[in-house]
Structure formats: structure tokens, C-alpha cells
Amino acid sequence: MGYRVPFVNPAVSYRLIKNEIDAAYADVMSRGDLIDRGHLKRFEQCLADFVGCRYAVGVNSGYDALHLSLRAAGVGPGHEVIVPAHTFVATASAVVNVGATPVLVDVGGDFNIDCDRVEEAISERTRAILPVHLSGWMADMPRIMEIADRHGLVVIEDACQSLGSSVEGKRAGSWGVTGCWSFYPFKILGGYGDGGAITTDDPEIALKARRMRFNGEDRETGEYHHHGFTCLLDNLQAAFLDVKLRHLPRWIERRKQIAELYRASLREIDDLLLPHYERPGFDHVYQNYTVRSGRESAFSEYLSTNGVEVLTQFRKPYYRHEALGLEDRGFPETEALSREVCSLPMYPELEDEDVLFVIETVRAFYGLS
Ligand SMILES: Cc1ncc(COP(=O)(O)O)c(C=O)c1O
């Protein structure tokens, strides 16, 4: 179905920066620089600078960033890793695929891990906490770092949805031993295919990740240090991402403007919970604008059938998929929000008139003009 306002619009986004993207493509292709070349190194440096870390290591996806981070931090069989019950499944899958056990913890009203529940999930086997910064809003990192320090745990940040967000001026991905990034096309910094990265201040972790992404090989010496993987960020994707990263601060400002437009016209609707959390020091970059409606799927279905494409991730929490074999310890907040979530269109290329159309459609559902 064609929507009056689609959830994302990659073609418009490309049109607006076509000259720069096409120039990057021509540069890579005419040099024949495809694998592990200058564009990748340059993008890694720019990403590290943006996040506020010493190193960035480009990989194939956000999943790979999580997977390699866990391995580089020494997480493996016999270990437990604390993860939120509400996240994309890849967060938990990375833990399972290194042979460790994810221990799920419910989230709070901001969709992020509930720090009051983290300590009760810690056992003598716990090795790491893997908080997720969902939708552009960071988990309570000062508190998580304090808990981790007290218990001697590693922190790996799943920052795949929150590039540019910060707490007390310190950006997502610069708090834990690593920050994990996804450049899946519809992320806040999206490539034209899969992509990801690890950011870290730790030279050993960066070195291990660099080797693991290239089959365990040290590219300088040719020595294989262990069995590894093939999961390097393509040089071409890196060149595109480098172009887009330069636009990111301006795009984030536009996302914030759109969020304010939504807020101004929707806040009077008591049934809707809007993603404005008002915590001093926390900066929201609105990768997603996810509201909660007490009218559940009636709300999201009304928007879809009236020209507004929305996302309802996830009506079925990942731990309820039996084949994954995860322990459901009872997560009331995750259960409630899973019935209620609805993400409205949110991307920098949205025109004000598109935002107004979404607002009018939401208001019409609630019988308001
Ligand atoms: C929170 C979170 N973690 C992990 C991932 C995995 O990223 P990718 O799809 O690049 O593997 C994603 C992206 O979809 C995500 O949103």
C-alpha cells in the first residue's frame, strides 16, 4: 500500500545528498579501493572522534559489533550477561552465540533497562551488563557504570539506535568497554546495506576486534592469531557513511524539531504516552518517536489504514519466541509496552506538512480536530 507519509524515505534522503554520495562512489570505484582501504580508515577516525573514543573498528553489522565485543572482552561459556527484555533480538543472540547465557531484565518507562532490577539479576556467573540505548535515548549509564564497578563487571553498550545521544555531555558508545553501532539503512546513520562498528578506548580490544573481523589475521604481519570471522565494513559503505556522518549533527537537530512538533500537538491526549522523559543531562536524538497508546493495535491500524506508515516493534517480545530458548522471568513493563508501542514517522527529510498530516491523523483517531 502507498502511504501519504511513509515510515522512512531512503530515495528522498539520497536525492538531497546525491552529489556527495555519487562523488564518493566515483572516488572509491576509480581507485579500485574495495577492502580495508583509506575510506574505511578515515570513516573509523571520524566516527571515533564523533563518539569521543580513541578507536573505531568497522564491521559488517550491529550484530557483529556485539558479537566481537563480547569475544574481545572475554565473555564466553559459563558466563551470564544481563540484557534488557525489550530490545532487538540481536542483543541476546550475540550473547548466546558466544556460548554465554543472557539474563533478561525488565525495562522502565523509558524503554531502557530498569536499573533497580539489574542488581537482583547479578549472580556469581555474571560477567557483563549489556544495556541498550533504545530509540535515541540512553540508558542510565552513570548508574550502570557504578553497579558494574561495584561488582567487577564489564559493560558493553548496545548503542545501535542512539548515535549522537549523550548523558552529561558524554556520548553513547563512550561509556562501556565498547560501544556497538549499526548502520542498517534506517538507523540514524544508515548505509546502503548492512554495516556496523565498535568504538572503544582500549587498544587491546580494538586490536582483537580488528583481527577477528579479518579471519584472525594481523594485516600488517599476515600472522593468524586465532580463528576469526569475515565481517569487515566495506570500503564503499565507509565512504558513504563518512559523507552522511558530516550531515548528522544537522539531521539530529531536525529530528528534535519534529519531536517538538509532535509534542506540541499530541500532549493533550491523555491516552498517549509520548517519548519526552525530561531527565536533566540526558539528550534524546529521536532515532524513533515511539508513543504508547492504551488503544493498542486499534491505534496503529487506524494510522496505517489512513495513510501513515508506523512500526509496532515488538508486539511479541523476543523471549516469547519458543525456539530461542530464553527464560521468561516475568517482565510486566515489557509486556505492557509491547501491546501499546507505535513508532510514528521520524526522519530528517520529513516536511512540516507531513508531520502535520501525521498529527491530524492521530488526533482524528481520538476524535479531536
Ligand atoms: C538495539 C539493536 N541492537 C542490535 C541491532 C543489530 O544491528 P544490525 O541489524 O546491524 O545487525 C539493532 C539493529 O537492528 C538494534 O536496533
Side-chain angles (χ1 to χ4, degrees), residues 84-264:
H86 177 58
T87 177
F88 181 55
V89 65
T91 317
S93 298
V95 175
V96 171
N97 288 340
V98 299
T101 304
V103 174
L104 279 54
V105 167
D106 206 1
V107 294
D110 65 355
F111 299 102
N112 286 332
I113 197 160
D114 181 349
C115 289
D116 290 338
R117 304 252 96 91
V118 167
E119 266 182 290
E120 63 198 41
I122 294 174
S123 76
E124 70 277 6
R125 299 203 310 158
T126 307
R127 181 66 188 261
I129 307 177
L130 211 174
V132 179
H133 310 312
L134 220 64
S135 296
W137 175 258
M138 283 179 65
D140 187 343
M141 287 312 290
R143 180 116 183 257
I144 288 168
M145 295 310 292
E146 184 273 313
I147 294 171
D149 278 352
R150 203 151 25 82
H151 292 272
L153 304 176
V154 170
V155 175
I156 291 167
E157 296 173 72
D158 181 339
C160 288
Q161 296 193 6
S162 290
L163 184 58
S165 63
S166 58
V167 174
E168 290 153 15
K170 189 169 163 57
R171 284 207 160 132
S174 69
W175 290 74
V177 65
T178 69
C180 301
W181 306 101
S182 167
F183 307 125
Y184 180 76
F186 307 130
K187 296 291 191 238
I188 202 158
L189 179 69
Y192 298 100
D194 279 318
I198 292 168
T199 47
T200 183
D201 278 328
D202 185 326
E204 276 300 305
I205 294 272
L207 182 66
K208 282 185 190 163
R210 270 183 219 291
R211 288 175 182 162
M212 273 190 282
R213 72 179 177 175
F214 219 100
N215 300 288
E217 181 184 353
D218 184 320
R219 299 281 289 156
E220 312 260 298
T221 63
E223 184 72 16
Y224 293 110
H225 288 263
H226 42 70
H227 292 285
F229 308 90
T230 305
C231 55
L232 181 73
L233 179 65
D234 291 342
N235 203 60
L236 185 59
Q237 287 298 343
F240 296 150
L241 290 165
D242 202 27
V243 168
K244 292 182 118 187
L245 184 57
R246 278 180 249 139
H247 291 276
L248 189 62
R250 185 169 57 79
W251 288 341
I252 288 174
E253 284 316 305
R254 177 63 185 151
R255 285 175 181 274
K256 290 180 180 179
Q257 272 175 8
I258 295 168
E260 285 310 316
L261 289 174
Y262 280 142
R263 183 197 343 220

Side-chain angles (χ1 to χ4, degrees), residues 1 21 25 36 73 80 86 160 199 242 282 297 315 317 367:
M1 149 171 200
I21 293 293
Y25 173 80
D36 200 11
E80 290 177 353
H86 177 58
C160 288
T199 47
D242 202 27
F282 281 61
S297 291
R315 284 285 183 259

